[in-house]
Amino acid sequence: MVNFSTFGNELYTGKRSYDFVGYKKVWFLVAGIAVALSILIPIFKGGFNLGIEFRGGSEFTVSNVQSTEASRGEKAVQEVVPGAVPRVANVAGNTMRIQTDKLSDDETLQIKQGLTKAYGVTDNEVTSTFVGPTWGADVTKQALIGLAIFVGLAAVLMALYFRTWKMSLSAIVGMAVTMFITAGVYGLSDFEVTPSAIIGFLTVLSYSLYDTVVVFDKIRENTADIQASTRRTFAEEVNLAINQTLVRSINTMVVAILPVGAILFIGAGLLGAGTLRDLSLALFVGILVGTAATIFIAAPLYAALRQGEPDLVKQAKRVEQRRADAAAKTAAQESAATA
Amino acid sequence: MARTGPKKSAIRMLVWLGVLIAAMTAVLAGGTMAGQASWTPKLALDLEGGTQMILAPKVEGGSGITEDQLNQAVAIIRQRVDGSGVAEAEISTQSGRNVVVSLPGTPAKETRALIQASADMNFRPVIQTGAGAAVPAESRTPEDKLPKPTAAPANSSDENWITPEIYKQFEALDCVNPSQDKQQRSDPAKPLVTCEPATATSPAIKYILGPVEVKGSNIKSSSFQLQRGAQGAVTNEWAVNIQFDDEGTAKFKEVTERLYQFYSAAGGQSGSDPKAQFAIVLDDQVISAPRSLAVITDGRPQITGGFTEESAKALSDQLRFGALPISFEIQSEQQISATLGGEQLRMGMLAGLIGLLLVVIYSLFQYRALGFVTVASLVIAGVITFLAIAILGWTENYRLSLAGVAGLIVAIGQTADSFIVYFERIRDELREGRGLVSAVENGWKRAKRTILASKAVNLLAAVVLFFVAVGNVRGFAFTLGLTAIADLIVVFMFTHPTLQLLARTKFFGEGHRFSGLDPKRLGAVPLYRGAGRLRTPDDKPVAVVRAKNTGAAAEAERRMTIAERRLAEKQEQAQQEQLAGTSKSTSKEGK
């Protein structure tokens, strides 16, 4: 692994520097393509794989079962609907719950019979119900309202804290990119979109802004007195700030993603679907994308937004002038030395 | 604090942290000994198991129920259940026919009543009233003297509704110590014997009521306001206004015409005929039984008398919620076992532990001995969070759900981030060639601001989610907010003071190889200190430093000297390259 102390040191001093701001057009293009794909993929795939809470579905409850093996229920459903992936759960002492996609009346009857046999119960111990999508719709609606309020308040908070709406805007654009790409990955994977996934999604947004605030704080510090400096242009200061916080960004991302990864792989491996797995996939992807979006999108965008300000253009000219002078001087000295 | 040394204030901070934890422990211990709290957090339905009720809506008159009405009912039930605490009740519709209510644990009787009470409201005329207590067995009316109907009842106020059975039931009814067993829902076409429970201002009263005359569904709206006197001046009396729809207006006019006769026949006295009263019945209990003082023809009656603002609002709300034309019957009630939740919780905790372990290993790798500070800080944050959850479980009925557990696991990473921000700042200071003691102080000054700003974003997200979102999301948001606060407490009261103290130890202060703060490894060779401050001849130091920015700017200038020098060299190089046709302003330097 990289020796982070040395690496961090080099980044800090500028000995090693990655040109995040300079290549901004490349990043924006990449992000644009990724966002476009994230919108298009779910459309081509025919939408997200929505959980039963959102799409509604059929649900069977088998009481007084002789065995609580999930495989019996799965088999019973698959005999009628090949390839179906029912969610079978033991919900009470000897009650099984089997959730499936929407079924036709015929299928419902057949599965009901199959379940009766599979679990060795009588006919009236199997109930079939249809789950309406109210709950999921409710969660979604409230989540969207929450999202709007959060973004609005966060934008104001950041604008006040950083005293420039351009930082606020850049941070929110970065967050939006994170949001689209995370959703796109969800669309690409076959993970179900459940209320838990929505929760994970909202957390990702908070993480994304959080991460951006930390980096922007450094940018603000570096550029606090940009007008009086002829050392670096604004864009260069921003780039230096990103480099100086790079070790922090990487460490933060790793530390944030380790527990989430543990949930994702242990949860998915041992538990199958569930709150933990749904939540952690959204987080896993979101943290990766969120960190990248801060470095490649939010910060360069901020530099791009401000670069054109007349004061900063003048300042950039002064920097160039100073450098040209220095170069001329050196050249003069050199020529003097040769002469 | 400014006058005391950092060491002293650090020790004081740690003492305060100890006091805080001890106080929280004492509160929880007190609650546990009083038998109300428990040392472990309360668990939500998905972890602990709980009760799931399927409610079937019952529409009077047999008309079908619309999706809209059902959704409205769900919203009302949810509002009521959520209003009773932080409990994560999940309320949803099933098949567009049933309402499913999932409650953690076994719901209290009041909660059950609350869920069912949400819809069955109607107006019945009063036939007879009596004191709330049951009539003692020996003084009850003998069998042969019981009132017997002499004819078929002519209207809903007719005493002929009182059969011997009804009267016996009436006498035996105890409204002072009401029995809790839920009776069958009453038949709207039959008389009803029921109670008005005692309130702060009035004792319990029992009633014989006639059949339902106006249904709650006939209420269009209700409100409450301060009553206006004859001159239109606002008085101090609160009043509740009802507005009926057309059908309700017509029926209510009919009812008040009859009831007003009883009222005027009795001479308008306060002790007048009980038959002048009409009872507002919610879930078979009388919530108010005003006297009809006039014939109401416009469908806008006003109820007055002895209301406080609170009681007027309560009645107005009940009328509005009760106006829904649906009543509910618990169709099935299921205790959900914790088997599934228990499994998920075990796996969640396993995942959390593994995650924590990975974070610890990574911290030790990245920050050497400093990693132990991270670990200790995480442990303390964990203790504070745990205590807070247990205390809130006791006081606010907060229940930890699986989503909440996920929130806690996610928080490990976010909490550790505060330390990373702080440690990186200290390292930056060391790179400047500062001694560790001053690096800790300076690093903290800068890190503090960043940590506060970023945690503010976290808290904002948690608060918004908590107030806007429903069900599971709330539990998660709550845990996130809680851990953000715990994190702040730990960073301020533990991590920083600990570092202040550690900076004075030989191991850290002299920058041991394994301390994580070894200046050599951080590239801060003391010689650099002077050299770093050198400027290239053309790179003039900041000419004018505006007073406002002096601190930050001067600091920023100084702390970037090495970087600046290197960059300047490179930039000059780049400039020459630019002249030669290339356009990079900085270039990556290979190693």
Side-chain angles (χ1 to χ4, degrees):
Chain A
M1 204 194 263
V2 196
N3 180 338
F4 266 34
S5 310
T6 314
F7 180 61
N9 180 46
E10 288 174 2
L11 287 170
Y12 182 78
T13 56
K15 186 174 168 193
R16 185 195 285 262
S17 174
Y18 298 104
D19 193 7
F20 296 108
V21 174
Y23 289 108
K24 59 179 175 278
K25 281 180 187 156
V26 178
W27 316 136
F28 293 166
L29 186 69
V30 169
I33 293 169
V35 168
L37 283 178
S38 300
I39 295 169
L40 290 176
I41 287 173
I43 292 175
F44 279 117
K45 281 195 67 188
F48 291 96
N49 178 14
L50 296 176
I52 198 169
E53 295 87 347
F54 289 103
R55 62 184 146 80
S58 295
E59 185 175 297
F60 298 88
T61 313
V62 188
S63 324
N64 296 325
V65 293
Q66 286 165 354
S67 152
T68 54
E69 275 172 45
S71 57
R72 294 188 182 200
E74 281 166 15
K75 241 193 247 163
V77 175
Q78 278 155 358
E79 272 167 21
V80 181
V81 190
V85 191
R87 292 168 63 179
V88 184
N90 181 249
V91 286
N94 43 10
T95 305
M96 300 296 293
R97 189 187 65 193
I98 298 104
Q99 293 181 331
T100 66
D101 293 342
K102 271 185 208 164
L103 297 169
S104 71
D105 284 353
D106 262 3
E107 287 169 334
T108 309
L109 271 176
Q110 283 177 40
I111 290 176
K112 198 170 167 178
Q113 277 168 5
L115 288 171
T116 312
K117 261 186 248 155
Y119 286 105
V121 295
T122 59
D123 201 37
N124 56 11
E125 278 167 322
V126 181
T127 60
S128 57
T129 337
F130 170 79
V131 180
T134 318
W135 172 236
D138 249 25
V139 172
T140 315
K141 192 183 123 206
Q142 291 298 101
L144 286 176
I145 296 174
L147 174 67
I149 296 176
F150 170 63
V151 170
L153 287 177
V156 172
L157 183 82
M158 279 189 290
L160 288 177
Y161 178 73
F162 292 117
R163 294 193 196 88
T164 158
W165 61 268
K166 287 180 178 174
M167 264 194 179
S168 193
L169 178 70
S170 313
I172 284 168
V173 169
M175 191 195 77
V177 169
T178 310
M179 190 170 79
F180 278 114
I181 296 179
T182 309
V185 171
Y186 240 92
L188 191 65
S189 73
D190 264 340
F191 271 50
E192 262 185 21
V193 178
T194 60
S196 308
I198 300 282
I199 298 175
F201 205 65
L202 293 171
T203 314
V204 162
L205 305 184
S206 144
Y207 177 87
S208 171
L209 282 187
Y210 168 92
D211 189 60
T212 308
V213 164
V214 174
V215 174
F216 276 16
D217 211 46
K218 183 68 183 169
I219 294 180
R220 180 170 85 142
E221 184 184 300
N222 283 11
T223 59
D225 212 47
I226 188 78
Q227 286 307 332
S229 165
T230 54
R231 194 170 298 144
R232 269 181 295 272
T233 65
F234 184 78
E236 287 161 1
E237 286 287 8
V238 171
N239 201 53
L240 181 66
I242 304 173
N243 276 289
Q244 286 177 329
T245 47
L246 195 57
V247 168
R248 194 280 336 177
S249 296
I250 294 170
N251 278 350
T252 298
M253 187 195 72
V254 171
V255 162
I257 221 159
L258 284 177
V260 173
I263 309 179
L264 183 62
F265 296 114
I266 293 163
L270 299 176
L271 278 176
T275 303
L276 289 179
R277 195 190 73 162
D278 297 344
L279 198 67
S280 52
L281 178 73
L283 286 171
F284 194 88
V285 177
I287 289 172
L288 282 174
V289 179
T291 306
T294 298
I295 295 172
F296 293 104
I297 306 297
L301 179 63
Y302 175 60
L305 280 178
R306 288 208 50 192
Q307 242 168 6
E309 285 178 16
D311 283 354
L312 291 176
V313 171
K314 266 185 228 154
Q315 189 268 347
K317 274 197 188 123
R318 284 202 301 275
V319 173
E320 265 169 44
Q321 184 58 47
R322 202 258 307 154
R323 285 176 188 162
D325 288 353
K329 207 167 180 183
T330 319
Q333 274 167 359
E334 271 165 14
S335 59
T338 23
Chain B
M1 203 130 86
R3 297 276 151 250
T4 57
K7 190 175 173 183
K8 228 175 175 176
S9 70
I11 291 172
R12 200 191 308 159
M13 232 5 151
L14 287 174
V15 169
W16 275 116
L17 179 69
V19 169
L20 177 75
I21 292 176
M24 287 175 82
T25 312
V27 167
L28 193 58
T32 310
M33 278 195 282
Q36 288 162 317
S38 105
W39 284 106
T40 48
K42 281 191 186 175
L43 299 177
L45 181 69
D46 55 354
L47 294 180
E48 194 194 40
T51 308
Q52 189 175 60
M53 285 181 268
I54 299 181
L55 304 169
K58 230 173 61 176
V59 184
E60 277 126 60
S63 59
I65 181 165
T66 68
E67 193 81 37
D68 267 358
Q69 288 171 320
L70 198 62
N71 288 341
Q72 207 185 338
V74 169
I76 289 163
I77 296 178
R78 179 172 298 137
Q79 185 180 347
R80 290 193 163 190
V81 174
D82 281 355
S84 66
V86 194
E88 292 189 4
E90 282 186 25
I91 300 157
S92 53
T93 60
Q94 218 178 36
S95 330
R97 283 197 314 270
N98 294 331
V99 175
V100 181
V101 180
S102 304
L103 295 168
T106 312
K109 290 199 171 75
E110 301 82 74
T111 315
R112 291 177 48 140
L114 207 64
I115 293 164
Q116 287 177 279
S118 55
D120 186 33
M121 164 168 293
N122 44 53
F123 295 81
R124 289 168 181 262
V126 175
I127 302 177
Q128 193 166 346
T129 59
V135 178
E138 60 276 12
S139 50
R140 284 184 194 169
T141 320
E143 201 70 38
D144 53 328
K145 297 227 174 99
L146 285 171
K148 281 197 191 70
T150 52
N155 57 47
S156 297
S157 299
D158 198 324
E159 278 176 24
N160 280 326
W161 283 108
I162 306 176
T163 61
E165 289 74 37
I166 294 271
Y167 200 74
K168 264 197 266 180
Q169 203 189 331
F170 178 65
E171 285 194 326
L173 183 66
D174 185 357
C175 291
V176 178
N177 302 299
S179 65
Q180 293 289 349
D181 29 301
K182 186 87 200 91
Q183 308 157 342
Q184 285 290 309
R185 193 171 291 284
S186 64
D187 186 337
K190 287 191 175 145
L192 174 70
V193 176
T194 190
C195 299
E196 180 174 357
T199 63
T201 48
S202 68
I205 306 167
K206 56 182 169 183
Y207 294 90
I208 300 178
L209 305 174
V212 172
E213 287 199 297
V214 184
K215 282 183 286 187
S217 55
N218 291 131
I219 300 172
K220 226 158 99 184
S221 67
S222 76
S223 59
F224 66 103
Q225 61 174 114
L226 277 169
Q227 200 184 333
R228 290 189 180 276
Q231 266 72 48
V234 175
T235 65
N236 267 334
E237 292 281 298
W238 287 93
V240 176
N241 299 315
I242 306 175
Q243 192 185 338
F244 285 107
D245 60 11
D246 292 345
E247 188 191 346
T249 303
K251 278 192 180 154
F252 200 69
K253 176 169 171 273
E254 212 178 286
V255 175
T256 47
E257 270 166 0
R258 186 176 73 238
L259 263 46
Y260 183 66
Q261 281 169 20
F262 292 118
Y263 178 72
S264 43
Q269 297 302 308
S270 60
S272 65
D273 195 339
K275 287 203 284 270
Q277 286 175 278
F278 64 93
I280 303 168
V281 185
L282 181 65
D283 202 23
D284 287 351
Q285 273 205 336
V286 176
I287 53 172
S288 182
R291 223 171 286 283
S292 182
L293 305 183
V295 176
I296 310 288
T297 54
D298 62 353
R300 294 166 175 271
Q302 185 179 56
I303 307 173
T304 55
F307 283 117
T308 60
E309 181 176 1
E310 212 173 301
S311 64
K313 181 183 186 307
L315 180 59
S316 166
D317 282 350
Q318 279 174 318
L319 284 166
R320 198 163 54 237
F321 292 148
L324 214 65
I326 318 162
S327 58
F328 287 94
E329 208 168 55
I330 295 184
Q331 197 115 84
S332 83
E333 192 174 327
Q334 212 179 6
Q335 300 289 327
I336 293 181
S337 84
T339 323
L340 184 69
E343 187 73 1
Q344 292 251 359
L345 181 62
R346 259 195 305 284
M347 290 302 163
M349 291 197 354
L350 181 69
L353 280 177
I354 292 176
L356 189 61
L357 194 71
L358 290 173
V359 169
V360 168
I361 293 171
Y362 189 79
S363 306
L364 291 180
F365 180 79
Q366 284 295 327
Y367 296 103
R368 314 284 153 139
L370 214 53
F372 288 112
V373 179
T374 309
V375 177
S377 304
L378 281 175
V379 167
I380 299 215
V383 168
I384 292 176
T385 311
F386 185 87
L387 287 171
I389 287 177
I391 291 175
L392 288 168
W394 165 35
T395 57
E396 309 293 321
N397 197 29
Y398 170 70
R399 285 167 184 278
L400 193 60
S401 64
L402 202 52
V405 172
L408 289 176
I409 299 172
V410 170
I412 297 173
Q414 300 213 330
T415 303
D417 179 56
S418 309
F419 312 144
I420 293 174
V421 169
Y422 180 28
F423 295 164
E424 286 300 329
R425 287 294 194 168
I426 295 177
R427 286 181 160 187
D428 287 354
E429 297 296 326
L430 289 173
R431 287 179 180 125
E432 294 300 326
R434 281 181 200 277
L436 185 57
V437 173
S438 70
V440 164
E441 295 307 323
N442 278 296
W444 173 243
K445 259 181 227 152
R446 303 176 160 276
K448 187 165 68 179
R449 227 182 40 192
T450 310
I451 291 171
L452 282 174
S454 53
K455 284 292 151 187
V457 172
N458 267 2
L459 266 179
L460 182 72
V463 170
V464 170
L465 280 186
F466 183 79
F467 284 107
V468 178
V470 290
N472 255 341
V473 185
R474 290 189 97 192
F476 181 78
F478 192 83
T479 336
L480 270 187
L482 198 66
T483 51
I485 293 169
D487 177 19
L488 282 179
I489 292 175
V490 168
V491 170
F492 274 76
M493 297 180 79
F494 180 78
T495 315
H496 174 54
T498 303
L499 271 180
Q500 283 180 313
L501 296 180
L502 287 179
R504 287 166 171 78
T505 62
K506 195 167 169 245
F507 180 81
F508 283 98
E510 292 182 0
H512 189 279
R513 213 152 58 82
F514 293 120
S515 68
L517 295 170
D518 174 8
K520 271 193 217 103
R521 287 175 62 92
L522 296 173
V525 182
L527 277 177
Y528 262 177
R529 230 178 156 172
R533 294 236 168 108
L534 287 174
R535 303 281 189 275
T536 50
D538 305 297
D539 183 12
K540 290 188 190 80
V542 180
V544 202
V545 177
R546 276 167 288 146
K548 201 168 73 178
N549 284 327
T550 309
E555 186 71 25
E557 294 292 318
R558 222 180 315 130
R559 62 211 319 276
M560 257 172 264
T561 46
I562 306 168
E564 176 274 313
R565 194 162 54 83
R566 305 253 180 185
L567 255 174
E569 283 167 12
K570 234 172 294 159
Q571 278 154 356
E572 263 158 54
Q573 214 179 348
Q575 198 132 38
Q576 273 155 9
E577 278 169 12
Q578 201 169 26
L579 293 171
T582 29
S583 62
K584 296 283 169 312
S585 62
T586 52
S587 62
K588 190 175 142 188
E589 183 179 304
K591 247 203 102 178

